[in-house]
Amino acid sequence: MPPVTLVASANAEVTVDVLELICQSCAEHILAGCRKIEGVASVEADRRARLITLRFDPSLTTRARILAAVDDVVASIP
């Protein structure tokens, strides 16, 4: 699977394009996995646009770690 693509970034927020955010089951799996990422405070999805926005605590994690963790979550889709 292709890696997620960073679409937008702010101090403690990233928005990524996730091509696999198609069906409800995949979306639920991805969102549940993203909520478990250390330092993530909230996760929102726009299935139509295939975007996920994650807000995180920069004192606990980094943007790069969030992106890598989202990649891992997406790669774990059965």
Side-chain angles (χ1 to χ4, degrees):
M1 289 184 202
V4 297
T5 304
L6 180 65
V7 175
S9 179
N11 289 339
E13 179 178 294
V14 293
T15 299
V16 293
D17 184 11
V18 181
L19 297 177
E20 293 79 5
L21 199 64
I22 300 169
C23 71
Q24 184 65 30
S25 176
C26 290
E28 288 172 6
H29 179 84
I30 292 169
L31 292 175
C34 287
R35 287 184 184 107
K36 294 178 183 176
I37 298 170
E38 182 180 356
V40 169
S42 69
V43 180
E44 295 175 17
D46 180 343
R47 276 188 45 214
R48 187 172 299 200
R50 296 185 184 168
L51 298 174
I52 295 177
T53 300
L54 300 100
R55 288 175 190 81
F56 62 95
D57 182 341
S59 69
L60 298 175
T61 190
T62 65
R63 187 173 293 109
R65 287 183 184 156
I66 295 290
L67 293 174
V70 172
D71 259 344
D72 289 345
V73 168
V74 172
S76 73
I77 294 174

